[in-house]
Amino acid sequence: MSIHSVRREQCHLAWDNSIAPVVRIQSGQTVDFDCLDASNGQLEPNSTTATLDSLVFSQLDQVNGPVYVEGAQPGDTLQVDVLSIKTGGWGWSALIPGFGLLADEFPEPALKLWKLDQAGGFAWFDQAKGIKIPLRPFAGEMGVARGVKGAFSTIPPYNTGGNVDTKHLTVDSTLFLPIEVEGALFSIGDGHAAQGDGEVCGTAIETPMKVTVRLTVRKDRPYTKTPHFSTSVSDKDEQYYCTTGVEPGMYLDYVTHWTSSDTSRPCELDMRKAAQSAVRQMIDFLCAEHKLHRTEAYMLCSVAGDLRLHEVVDMPNYVVGMMMPQSIFGHAS
């Protein structure tokens, strides 16, 4: 057990670098977090769909922390090693009016409660129909404070992390976050027992969680400008390195005029900016770590990298990842 811990009541509802840290640690030390679910305890195992009507939305998606890491300075990278995650014995998923990729098509609230079989590692979606969901728990929110002053909602993701809702950040994965303030001020929350890439309806299997992470300051990764991570969750026989693009969606109207602010005209969302950013981040990584020229790195992204839609519902920002299999490197000629 870690000597450092953050209790479930030690939480906050905005990314704000003026929030005082609840604990200070040395680089390389571990921290245990006890986190409520994303409803901040407003939903319980006996809740009903009617409970959704009384949700206080300003209390959703709290994060626990912040943790001050000694030696962390702007321009450094915070390495977050996910060591253990234990979910609660229950979870919930919901259709919340106004949330989700198809919010206009599903305007009515709906709530599904789950019983999580932690020993078996699954939850029944519909036992009668034989639909069973494997549990792959992760924290939807992991981030550090932004360098700009002010309070920023925990709902969208940022280049400093936050609500990245990326299902690949399970136990044994490593997240890298760009540090913008002294001490990094790391926080975590939004426990998920399982989620598909994109979290299209706006919720996963939301659950309380206890999670342990190791936080290490890295001085040797100046190319980390958005969340990067290393994981094997997609394929247990393959390790992947992933860069992300965290950008607002743009709007394309019927006369092909691009704008990121005027949403009054007929339009469709375009996540090209986030995809472009993810590829640029991977190019920078390949040039720095594998000594490739930019043209070589760009070509390698096309023949070996996979673009993934990690998070597409937390307006206004979206997370697109480029995942590169690590088995292609290190072969003798």
Side-chain angles (χ1 to χ4, degrees):
M1 178 178 290
S2 170
I3 61 172
H4 301 288
S5 61
V6 177
R7 302 186 306 274
R8 59 175 50 186
E9 65 270 20
Q10 293 177 306
C11 62
H12 52 99
L13 290 156
W15 298 102
D16 187 337
N17 60 35
S18 69
I19 297 175
V22 299
V23 65
R24 300 172 76 102
I25 70 168
Q26 297 296 318
S27 174
Q29 291 186 320
T30 62
V31 186
D32 298 326
F33 294 84
D34 184 5
C35 306
L36 281 170
D37 65 288
S39 78
N40 212 349
Q42 295 182 80
L43 291 174
E44 299 178 337
N46 60 352
S47 294
T48 66
T49 300
T51 310
L52 297 176
D53 295 332
S54 62
L55 280 181
V56 180
F57 287 90
S58 62
Q59 297 298 307
L60 300 181
D61 272 0
Q62 78 291 348
V63 288
N64 290 68
V67 175
Y68 186 104
V69 186
E70 299 289 352
Q73 294 294 330
D76 295 342
T77 297
L78 186 67
Q79 177 176 322
V80 184
D81 296 303
V82 183
L83 303 181
S84 69
I85 301 176
K86 183 178 180 180
T87 69
W90 71 285
W92 62 270
S93 301
L95 301 185
I96 300 174
F99 284 81
L101 196 61
L102 302 179
D104 292 343
E105 298 177 32
F106 295 88
E108 298 300 321
L111 177 67
K112 179 176 180 59
L113 296 173
W114 302 78
K115 181 179 179 181
L116 308 183
D117 186 335
Q118 296 168 318
F122 71 91
W124 285 108
F125 179 80
D126 189 318
Q127 190 167 1
K129 295 177 181 177
I131 304 175
K132 187 165 68 173
I133 307 299
L135 302 183
R136 296 192 177 98
F138 70 96
E141 294 251 16
M142 287 194 280
V144 293
R146 305 185 72 193
V148 288
K149 292 185 180 298
F152 298 88
S153 170
T154 56
I155 299 296
Y158 304 96
N159 68 302
T160 48
N163 200 18
V164 293
D165 280 337
T166 300
K167 73 173 189 178
H168 308 286
L169 296 174
T170 56
V171 169
D172 295 331
S173 67
T174 298
L175 175 66
F176 301 95
L177 296 169
I179 295 172
E180 294 188 352
V181 299
E182 181 182 319
L185 299 179
F186 174 83
S187 298
I188 191 171
D190 190 21
H192 293 168
Q195 181 201 293
D197 266 328
E199 197 188 28
V200 295
C201 86
T203 61
I205 300 181
E206 310 289 338
T207 182
M209 69 173 182
K210 293 183 178 180
V211 57
T212 300
V213 298
R214 180 170 54 242
L215 303 176
T216 305
V217 177
R218 297 284 300 270
K219 305 283 187 181
D220 59 342
R221 296 175 57 91
Y223 51 82
T224 307
K225 304 298 183 185
T226 63
H228 293 195
F229 62 87
S230 176
T231 185
S232 61
V233 71
S234 294
D235 180 348
K236 294 302 182 183
D237 296 324
E238 178 64 82
Q239 189 77 15
Y240 292 87
Y241 188 87
C242 181
T243 57
T244 66
V246 183
E247 298 286 347
M250 296 189 296
Y251 292 84
L252 175 61
D253 71 14
Y254 291 153
V255 293
T256 66
H257 175 74
W258 290 102
T259 174
S260 59
S261 57
D262 183 3
T263 62
S264 61
R265 291 172 290 181
C267 62
E268 61 184 63
L269 283 171
D270 180 87
M271 285 171 275
R272 192 175 308 175
K273 266 184 85 174
Q276 289 172 331
S277 177
V279 174
R280 291 190 187 104
Q281 295 295 324
M282 182 59 74
I283 289 171
D284 289 345
F285 168 77
L286 292 171
C287 291
E289 295 295 331
H290 295 282
K291 312 306 178 187
L292 299 182
H293 296 293
R294 289 187 64 81
T295 52
E296 293 177 313
Y298 185 31
M299 196 176 298
L300 186 61
C301 287
S302 191
V303 301
D306 295 320
L307 278 175
R308 299 285 184 91
L309 300 180
H310 294 316
E311 185 282 305
V312 299
V313 294
D314 294 322
M315 301 288 189
N317 296 335
Y318 304 87
V319 182
V320 175
M322 163 139 293
M323 301 186 73
M324 186 67 66
Q326 296 304 283
S327 62
I328 67 174
F329 301 105
H331 299 282
S333 58

